Amino acid sequence: MAYELMIWRDEGITLEKWLEAVDKCELTKPDTAGVALLNPSNGEKVAIQGAHGDVAVKFTERGFLGLLNKTSWHTSFFFRHSYGAFVYTDSLEVPENPVRIAAVKLAKLLDAKIIGEEDEEYHW
């Protein structure tokens, strides 16, 4: 199971406040489309329905000399009753990681902190 980080406030975050912060952050947008995955063991397609509160993050791949930049959106955050959640990956240690940048911005907009499953706080 993946290690999860949380955008957390002791008094909780409402879905309404979560979506307001998502709308204010230029790197995020609501994403309820869900995902389709391929089961590698049997080739079966599995669809996972998106939920109200799921959030995509904008990734920009720079082209040669700043030309022909490519933009894509990847579902990265999930709303879980009273907090935002996202999966820890080693790439979050890179300051330029779009998910890391978005997490910091969302936490600031919500006057929240970023914590791990063992209550450690991330100060990015």
Side-chain angles (χ1 to χ4, degrees):
M1 189 158 185
Y3 193 79
E4 195 168 77
L5 300 180
M6 297 166 269
I7 298 175
W8 179 269
R9 285 177 26 159
D10 290 336
E11 61 276 11
I13 299 168
T14 64
L15 177 59
E16 180 181 41
K17 291 289 184 192
W18 173 252
L19 293 174
E20 284 176 16
V22 169
D23 284 340
K24 289 179 183 176
C25 180
E26 71 280 358
L27 290 174
T28 58
K29 70 177 184 178
D31 181 17
T32 58
V35 293
L37 305 169
L38 188 63
N39 182 332
S41 63
N42 63 12
E44 180 182 347
K45 288 183 182 179
V46 178
I48 301 173
Q49 184 176 350
H52 201 54
D54 289 357
V55 176
V57 173
K58 181 180 179 180
F59 284 73
T60 303
E61 185 180 326
R62 305 256 182 241
F64 182 68
L65 298 175
L67 303 172
L68 302 173
N69 292 344
K70 292 181 183 177
T71 300
S72 57
W73 292 87
H74 302 276
T75 304
S76 303
F77 294 99
F78 307 92
F79 186 76
R80 306 242 197 274
H81 305 291
S82 62
Y83 63 92
F86 60 110
V87 174
Y88 177 85
T89 62
D90 289 337
S91 66
L92 286 173
E93 297 303 326
V94 178
E96 297 81 20
N97 181 293
V99 175
R100 175 178 168 160
I101 295 168
V104 170
K105 289 183 179 202
L106 289 171
K108 186 174 182 177
L109 287 165
L110 291 161
D111 193 28
K113 56 188 173 183
I114 299 170
I115 62 171
E117 291 178 9
E118 298 173 359
D119 291 329
E120 76 279 12
E121 191 168 345
Y122 290 78
H123 299 281
W124 292 326

